[in-house]
Amino acid sequence: MPRDKSGRDGSQARLRSQLWFDNPDNPGMTALYLERYLNYGLTRAELTSGRPIIGIAQTGSDLSPCNRHHLELAERVRAGIRDAGGIAIEFPVHPIQETGKRPTAALDRNLAYLGLVEVLYGYPLDGAVLMTGCDKTTPACLMAAATVNTPAIVLSGGPMLNHVQDGKLMGSGTLIWQARQDQAAGKIGYKEFIDIVAASAPSAGHCNTMGTASTMNAMAEALGMSLPGCAAIPAPYRERGQIAYETGLRAVEIVREDLKPSDILTRAAFENAIVACSAIGGSTNAPIHINAIARHIGVDLAIDDWEKIGYDVPLLVNIQPAGEYLGEDYYRAGGLPAVMHELHAAGRLHADALTINGKTIAENVARAKVCNADVIRPYDRPLKATAGFKVLRGNLFDSAIMKTSVISDEFRERYLSNPKDPNAFEGRAVVFDGPEDYHRRIDDAALGIDEHTVLFMRGAGAIGYPGSAEVVNMQPPAALIKKGVTSLACIGDGRQSGTSGSPSILNASPEAAAGGGLALLKTGDRVRIDLNKGSADILISADELAARRTALEKNGGYHYPPSQTPWQEIQRGMVDQLGSGMVLQPAVKYQRVAQKSVPRDNH
């Protein structure tokens, strides 16, 4: 596409939107497009003035409570766009609410992506403000912006205020896992359990822990797609409205500068994001979504890069679930800019990576500072020396990840502290086919689950569930919880909530439904996990493994529930595995589409 007349290359090209609203070479179509956009009050002078038209991709709605305050924040975005000389046009994005959508919100990430691609490409928009928040809205929006490659900037919604229960900070999600455990142990009943959970969302905003929402919005900032400091501002704070206004201003400027996602989403930017994710104790969902964004922009990024680049990065942020504090404390301590300042000073970042404000990462974080060294630790005094993801593989799967920053003392003592076999363990497998099977049988004494058992969840991946579900973080049987055993080793082909502190091995690829090794596993098998070697294996002979595969294939493969909607069937037919970003495989060949063609006229 031609650049704007004030583009970065100095050219005097016209705006993209003028192909709709001010095209003397095609007066018939210009009249058709212009006429209907005047019927709610826009003027002909505005639409033909050469002012950039900025789309506001609205992810807030009554169905998306974590993002609902974006309905009000959009007014501040509009003000910024207007003051910078642009015109704002707001439109809805398919809703994605992690705690509302069944069978899983992950099913809708790719659906929202597809819809947003069509809007950004097919409508008269010169740029976009991507309003993100709850987990999947951030990658859906960034994936679409990467595909179309017109100027775009991310405005996240921010976390809820801190929640205090009995004088103790209790984070969203994290509190739920603890309350479930307390109910299983008989410490509280159903009513008290619901009462505790119902009080745990004290304000507008997404999770106040370092769950997937906080992680992914931090990733947008670390990648350079948000204004510095945007991710950590709590939703109700005045600064959230102020940065919404500043984002609107900047949205117009990036159109005039022709600053596109492809200018920012480079290999260096993705490596910076991996490093930042480890330092903040980010969610195990981050590799899925970041790898998906990379595939849509055309950057080669593999699951192994998460270990190669980020495994030895120390944990700097003391926030739940890996730490103690919550979102307000993190923001007041300096937020992501302070973390990036520490990482930059330690030489862990690509300092010259360009960001959305036109400056480099190094320039953005040069004056950032840590205001509370207990919440954001100095690089040389971290909470943990290594906090990145460990990638494992073997005859159970080609890849899976383990979040090392949440390995508890109890878990390490029981599974990883054998002096004759350090950082490795063997155990008897108990296998569940989906969460319904788990809930039905977890307390069955006949399963013989003890404190050394390894729990497996399969049928929970991108195809099998479908969409992949957050069900791998299985709690032990109530009988063990009452004895003080609060976590068992959990392995599966699904995901887990970023608010969970479980050191599960998850995102297993290929999943059972795609013929992965988990489909061959049987309850009673011995398995071995070795973190030193990065291996995960069923301890059976190659002949036995081959015989099981032959039997599985003869039986028609691993059986999973039928599709319930058209979209479930469509996605199942083309979705890639979690280790490769769970993208729609035919979609990744469409890159920089706005530079390759102009949409055909509609009449």
Side-chain angles (χ1 to χ4, degrees):
M1 281 297 300
R3 294 181 184 272
D4 175 67
K5 59 185 178 183
S6 53
R8 291 189 298 147
D9 63 358
S11 65
Q12 300 297 306
R14 288 156 57 82
L15 288 168
R16 184 173 187 269
S17 60
Q18 289 178 287
L19 295 172
W20 277 257
F21 295 137
D22 188 19
N23 187 1
D25 295 331
N26 196 345
M29 289 309 306
T30 298
L32 185 67
Y33 297 135
L34 184 65
E35 175 259 351
R36 202 50 54 98
Y37 280 91
L38 303 179
N39 76 353
Y40 64 92
L42 285 173
T43 66
R44 175 182 170 184
E46 287 175 293
L47 294 179
T48 60
S49 64
R51 296 167 64 175
I53 297 179
I54 308 299
I56 300 175
Q58 179 57 265
T59 61
S61 72
D62 290 353
L63 281 176
S64 303
C66 291
N67 291 26
R68 194 183 184 283
H69 58 296
H70 271 316
L71 297 173
E72 287 76 41
L73 278 176
E75 293 303 315
R76 297 299 299 141
V77 177
R78 283 177 175 273
I81 292 170
R82 192 77 184 182
D83 284 358
I87 298 170
I89 293 185
E90 187 175 346
F91 60 88
V93 175
H94 181 86
I96 311 177
Q97 175 60 35
E98 189 64 38
T99 57
K101 174 61 190 284
R102 298 170 71 172
T104 169
L107 186 68
D108 283 8
R109 187 202 69 178
N110 289 339
L111 185 58
Y113 153 77
L114 288 175
L116 185 52
V117 165
E118 294 302 315
V119 173
L120 296 180
Y121 178 66
Y123 280 89
L125 303 175
D126 300 304
V129 175
L130 310 173
M131 304 189 80
T132 69
C134 187
D135 299 10
K136 313 301 182 297
T137 57
T138 307
C141 288
L142 280 171
M143 288 158 59
T147 295
V148 179
N149 203 39
T150 49
I153 183 171
V154 170
L155 173 68
S156 54
M160 296 184 288
L161 300 178
N162 287 1
H163 173 62
V164 178
Q165 178 185 302
D166 299 327
K168 183 180 179 182
L169 286 170
M170 294 297 293
S172 49
T174 301
L175 174 146
I176 295 177
W177 314 130
Q178 182 61 53
R180 281 172 55 182
Q181 199 173 93
D182 290 344
Q183 186 187 20
K187 296 179 181 179
I188 59 175
Y190 170 78
K191 183 180 184 301
E192 189 174 0
F193 169 64
I194 297 299
D195 287 345
I196 290 170
V197 173
S200 67
S203 75
H206 58 65
C207 289
N208 50 22
T209 51
M210 191 54 72
T212 306
S214 290
T215 299
M216 287 311 303
N217 291 304
M219 293 297 91
E221 185 177 328
L223 284 168
M225 290 296 291
S226 289
L227 293 178
C230 180
I233 302 170
Y237 279 27
R238 68 176 187 178
E239 289 87 352
R240 178 56 62 190
Q242 290 167 347
I243 205 163
Y245 174 79
E246 292 162 5
T247 299
L249 291 174
R250 185 60 188 156
V252 177
E253 294 171 354
I254 62 175
V255 170
R256 290 175 172 151
E257 296 168 13
D258 196 30
L259 182 61
K260 302 182 295 293
S262 60
D263 299 314
I264 295 170
L265 296 176
T266 62
R267 171 74 187 196
F270 284 103
E271 292 190 3
N272 284 345
I274 290 174
V275 170
C277 190
S278 297
I280 65 177
S283 167
T284 51
N285 287 303
I288 302 169
H289 301 316
I290 294 297
N291 287 7
I293 297 165
R295 291 191 69 183
H296 284 295
I297 200 67
V299 169
D300 184 19
L301 193 71
I303 193 65
D304 288 332
D305 289 323
W306 287 80
E307 180 175 338
K308 292 175 183 176
I309 297 164
Y311 179 68
D312 67 342
V313 174
L315 179 63
L316 303 185
V317 178
N318 186 9
I319 186 172
Q320 298 176 29
E324 175 184 358
Y325 294 96
L326 293 175
E328 285 189 86
D329 311 296
Y330 174 51
Y331 171 64
R332 291 169 180 163
L336 189 69
V339 177
M340 300 293 270
H341 178 88
E342 291 293 313
L343 294 171
H344 173 49
R348 297 305 301 255
L349 298 178
H350 295 285
D352 59 350
L354 182 65
T355 74
I356 200 67
N357 66 355
K359 299 179 181 179
T360 65
I361 280 284
E363 290 173 316
N364 286 342
V365 305
R367 296 183 180 179
K369 62 179 181 179
V370 175
C371 299
N372 185 332
D374 192 37
V375 179
I376 299 176
R377 299 290 180 87
Y379 188 88
D380 58 358
R381 290 192 292 109
L383 274 77
K384 293 187 177 182
T386 58
F389 298 117
K390 185 71 179 178
V391 179
L392 297 104
R393 52 178 42 90
N395 63 19
L396 281 167
F397 34 73
D398 291 345
S399 74
I401 62 170
M402 184 180 192
K403 181 177 176 179
T404 62
S405 65
V406 293
I407 296 177
S408 66
D409 292 340
E410 177 206 352
F411 187 93
R412 184 172 294 281
E413 175 65 28
R414 184 149 27 92
Y415 286 103
L416 301 171
S417 297
N418 182 350
K420 298 180 181 179
D421 196 15
N423 288 321
F425 61 92
E426 295 182 13
R428 174 178 171 271
V430 172
V431 185
F432 299 102
D433 290 293
E436 297 86 358
D437 184 33
Y438 159 77
H439 289 296
R440 184 171 59 250
R441 296 194 296 131
I442 184 61
D443 290 315
D444 185 352
L447 290 176
I449 299 174
D450 62 23
E451 63 270 26
H452 301 292
T453 299
V454 183
L455 303 182
F456 282 84
M457 173 66 69
R458 67 187 178 192
I463 297 171
Y465 201 71
S468 80
E470 294 186 335
V471 293
V472 178
N473 51 321
M474 297 168 279
Q475 70 180 24
L480 284 183
I481 293 175
K482 290 175 182 177
K483 293 180 181 179
V485 178
T486 60
S487 62
L488 294 178
C490 297
I491 301 175
D493 58 10
R495 302 174 296 109
Q496 75 180 30
S497 169
T499 65
S500 171
S502 171
S504 307
I505 297 169
L506 61 161
N507 302 359
S509 304
E511 62 184 291
L518 288 178
L520 309 176
L521 185 67
K522 295 180 180 180
T523 292
D525 284 342
R526 298 287 296 178
V527 297
R528 176 174 173 79
I529 310 300
D530 190 325
L531 298 187
N532 293 327
K533 296 179 179 179
S535 61
D537 295 286
I538 319 172
L539 298 179
I540 58 176
S541 69
D543 288 344
E544 170 63 15
L545 197 67
R548 290 188 187 185
R549 182 162 296 283
T550 299
L552 178 71
E553 293 170 354
K554 187 176 181 180
N555 192 39
Y558 180 82
H559 294 284
Y560 50 85
S563 297
Q564 299 164 312
T565 65
W567 173 239
Q568 290 184 16
E569 180 176 345
I570 291 168
Q571 171 150 291
R572 273 174 158 163
M574 63 179 70
V575 73
D576 212 338
Q577 292 292 289
L578 292 175
S580 300
M582 205 179 75
V583 296
L584 300 176
Q585 295 181 65
V588 295
K589 67 177 177 286
Y590 294 93
Q591 296 175 5
R592 296 163 171 77
V593 298
Q595 284 75 55
K596 293 178 179 178
S597 62
V598 175
R600 297 172 70 182
D601 285 318
N602 60 25
H603 282 72

